[in-house]
Amino acid sequence: MKQRDRLRIAAQKSGRLSEAGRDLMARSGLRFRESRDRLFCYGEVEPVDLLLVRDDDIPGLIAEGVCDLGIVGRNVLLEQQLEYVQRGEVAPFQELRRLGFGRCRLALAVPSEFVYQDPTSLAGCRIATSYPALLSDWLRKQDVQAEVVTLSGSVEIAPKLGKADLICDLVSTGATLAANQLREVATLLESEAVLAAPAELMLDDRQTIVDRLIKRLDGVLQVRD
Ligand code: PRT
Ligand code: ZN
């Protein structure tokens, strides 16, 4: 891995995690000067810079060594971790801390006419999801054979379109499921925003900066709990 003396944090540019993520970094003592393209923000107080990206890109940026920390949903991190595992590899990133915002769950939801008793009710069904690795892993653990239909968005309308028998999607309030006449029947994962880091320690000054930052972050998180 290339040696660097400044730390780089990846966070979501705009979306559900961006505001609370920025707020947490500010309370941990980080200040950034925004650049013209607003993607790279230079750290003014600490040697810590910020890269604003799509949430899905965050684990990859850590894997490539482009960023050293990331604020991302556990659902995204675990999905990409499982992709490595399913290829027989070890994921080069890990969850370091849970951050207490962006809470949601990855859940199975069925149309009203679907009779669900337990996971065996899913045998032979088509399940639409944007989280194929997490869903396949769960099905395997339940010893259920079902077809995973991968969709990048609008998962909740897949049953109405005849593309799937049920869905596996993120739920927070449940309003989206209700609006689509879907009923939640099982939770696969409880998720929230987490601090992601490389699986291995960094071998230069950055590890010292990480350790100092984590100490401050823990202080902020403790006050909140
Ligand atoms: O552009 P980019 O790729 O960065 O953003 P994105 O659109 O992929 O992500 P975004 O901002 O929607 O979500 C970022 C993260 O927020 C997710 O990865 C989760 O960790 C977390 N999060 C928390 C949620 C929700 N709550 C949530 N409710 N992510 C998505 N949803 C969606 C869900 O997919 C469904 O469509 O909201 C709908 C359900 O919400 P309710 O309230 O109706 O149940
Ligand atoms: Zn995304």
Side-chain angles (χ1 to χ4, degrees), residues 12 54-57 76:
Q12 194 185 24
R54 289 199 53 196
D55 64 346
D56 320 75
D57 294 336
V76 170

Side-chain angles (χ1 to χ4, degrees), residues 111-131:
S112 42
E113 65 279 7
F114 192 106
V115 180
Y116 181 92
Q117 275 160 344
D118 56 50
T120 61
S121 311
L122 305 172
C125 288
R126 292 167 305 156
I127 312 176
T129 190
S130 305
Y131 295 89

